[in-house]
Amino acid sequence: MARKKHQQLDTQIHRQKPNSQSSTAYVQILGTGMDTHDTLPSILLFFDNFRIIFNAGEGLQRFCAEHKIKLSKIDYICLSRVCSETVGGLPGLLLTLAGLGEGHSVELRGPSDLSSLVYALKSFIPHAAICAESFGSSLSSNVEAPTVPSLSEGPFFVCKSAVVSISAVLLQPSILADSYVKPSDVSVVYICELSEIKGKFHKEKAEALGLDVGPKRRELQNGKSVKSDRLDIMIQPSDVIDPSVRGPVVLIVDCPTESHAEKLSTTQSLGKYYAKLSGEAPETVNSIVHLTPASVVNTRNYQNWMKKFGSVQHIMAGYSMKNVGIPILESSARITNQLGYLCPQFFPAPALHSREHHFDAAVGMDSLTKEPTEGTCDSILAENLLKFTLLPHSQSGLDKANVPGLIAPSQVISNLLLEIPEVVEAAQQISQFWSEPEHSSKDSEGLIGGLLLDQNPIPSCLENIRRDDGEIVLLGTGSSHPSKYRNVSSIFVNLFSKGNLLLDCGEGTLAQLKRRYGMDGAANAVRNLRCIWISHIHADHHAGLVRILALRRDLLKGTPHEKLHVIGPKYLESFLNKYKDLEDLDMQFLDCRSTTAASWDTFEHGFVSTKYPTCSSDCMIDEHVNNENKDDTCFLRCSKRQKLSSNVDTCVDTRFLMSLSEVLKEAGLERLTSFPVIHCPESFGVILKARERVNNSGVLIPGWKVIYSGDTRPCTEVIQASKGATLLIHEETQMLQATFEDSLAEEAIARNHSTIKEAMEVGTSAGAYRIILTHFSQRYPKIPSFDEINLEKACIAFDLMSVNLADLHLLPQILPYLKLLFRDDVTEQLEDD
């Protein structure tokens, strides 16, 4: 059935463009992961009316938004492997295309175990949004065979249009007889054969043979003979048309290990493309794009295989340290540099893009950066947006016109100071908050206007707190899908020597960790994860999870360790269990319902305390909360009875909770408690409560308390959880202002989100000491307008913002300076609204 559907689709393509011949064709490097090495780059094969992307790793949507590449124009996505490196961007991409309505679908192609991936993705993606077909024989990762299973190498048909035909050769690694091949071990060499290039039609020859302008010329171009209009002769196509020439050929090669390289060197399916000394001329390959890592490229087997092709342009697109110093997301990098200049305490310089790291590390593929000498392959290191032009034939070759250069942070700051000279004084004033604490309560009237500062005393839990006690890093602060300026939800809780946690793990989380901490720092962060907590099943909160788990598995391979605790909604467990058929994730899952306060009581005391709501409780705002102002607040909209997203589960998995308790203890935490909220089914917020500690006077003081709301409408559960919170991190997707308050409030209610005003009222009602607002609608790509709202104890989050618990008292004082930095953007938003 799938094959029939696929053939119908290809026939439809031919009907749409029966005689079309693309005037433009090129292969282009889409540098997702080139600066972070978190995922393989994607490759775009472009024609005027037909486009294919090879691999869809994390960050593909964000990259295309940055560089104005329309993903809605993509016809096929072909995977070179089915693993976290190549598919991390698929969930978000499929959901985005599905949201565009009918006519915006994309076909997936990949080796046989693509079907296992699709089965897993259907746990949270509508079935109609996925149209996929695999090729090759299926392998199971759950059956250990005493001998190596046989796998046909192909070539296999992948797809075809009027301009190109794609086929695939499978590479099965050479392994020991007592091992078995995992599905993700199988990689692909894609063969892209462009249609033949028709010869030039010579009008002067047609006229000399008495052929007038008209339909007969079209018949000649279609290969038919015609009779001359003015002479008594038959005209053959060869009389007026040059011979057609074979179309260009491009190979996309993913050879991840030396074992794969051994298989590649002996494959017979590519023989007709090898250069020969005598006999029939081979089918010439114009370019080969290598997704192969440098460690494999530099082996003798691989080098000898490359030489078989003769004069071919090799583009080395595997991981190269050369590209680490060049951000692929220029817009985001520019804002990060500006924020770092203004307040380096909350916005430290990204460790990844320092020039020192860039040059010291650029050694892995050094041999490939040199000019080719006689007897070596013509190789070039891929760069972001590098093109190899295929058509028109006269322009065939490399094109670096769109390759971005390295933008020095100093240049970004120079441009900023020309636009907003006041930023110099602002940065000086902010630095005084740390060097001269007495200045922190003074008002800089002339620069940023009057400040309404929070006068509440510092809570006892922050007395004498050390800088290595805890830090909150906002890795992603946008909602729905990644954008130029904000990645999707992820919060890194850095507990330093005690380990760390992730709260939500949207697509691109690993890349953000690398931008914040550098390659080695991010590896240590992943290696030292104590647990990952996921709020709900929406893809913008968990699509980066598999990549993090796969990296941790690889980092700890051969080292004694415990499986990582992943806490999330039951729907997430369904996805992870299905995905494990593709690759082991080295984790143990615990349902959020098993970490509610009631579940912890059951685990510790064997009964459920009556102070917790029963599983049938409705969401009602406490009548004593802000009762005197109820008519003027968001709580009026919340007072309607709304069912919570989840019921309390007191069926506790004792073994897992005992293990989690030990993990939390090692991390210096007393408890991690999930609580149900109002969003989609099985949605939760979380409480992190630190253990008690002794201050400098020897007095026992309570530990800090951090709340993350997840996505939610304002509700009693968030308020109760946030009582006495040291920090409340609250989602906000809609901003209320002026005459648009009612319409945006209704939108927030319809989508079960909160407005910024509602989030502030929740935090104020609960008595939270500090509030960070995050998860912003893409309506506000940089900063929302908030003139009408009291944010005296709050701050707006930005990607890579790092808030040390020792600096919480200063957090609200930064907000007016952020408004200064983005004043032009706020003005533009008001005008647009």
Side-chain angles (χ1 to χ4, degrees), residues 679-701:
H679 190 52
C680 65
E682 299 290 319
S683 294
F684 296 87
V686 68
I687 306 168
L688 295 181
K689 183 70 169 68
R691 301 175 71 86
E692 295 178 331
R693 62 187 178 87
V694 177
N695 66 9
N696 291 348
S697 302
V699 177
L700 190 66
I701 58 175

Side-chain angles (χ1 to χ4, degrees), residues 35 65 143 156-157 166 182 210 255 318 364 383 399 424 443 507 518 531 571 575 586 689 708 741 800 808 820:
D35 64 339
V143 180
F156 298 97
F157 170 81
I166 311 290
K182 300 192 300 293
C255 186
E383 297 176 84
D399 179 358
V424 175
D443 177 16
E507 177 186 339
C531 82
Y571 303 118
F575 164 69
D586 195 27
K689 183 70 169 68
Y708 172 45
E741 178 168 338
L800 305 185
L808 273 181
L820 168 68

Side-chain angles (χ1 to χ4, degrees), residues 100 120 169 221 375 381 456 495-496 518 538 627 698 817 824 829:
L100 296 177
V169 173
Q221 290 176 323
L381 279 176
N456 291 327
L495 300 174
F496 297 93
H538 286 166
N627 191 53
Y817 297 96
D824 293 338
Q829 287 174 25

Side-chain angles (χ1 to χ4, degrees), residues 719-731:
I719 296 174
Q720 293 297 330
S722 303
K723 291 287 187 183
T726 314
L727 174 63
L728 167 63
I729 305 172
H730 201 293
E731 73 108 353

Side-chain angles (χ1 to χ4, degrees), residues 35 323-330 333 353 384 404-407:
D35 64 339
N323 295 301
V324 170
I326 304 177
I328 62 168
L329 302 172
E330 295 180 11
H353 296 146
N384 186 21
L406 178 62
I407 301 177

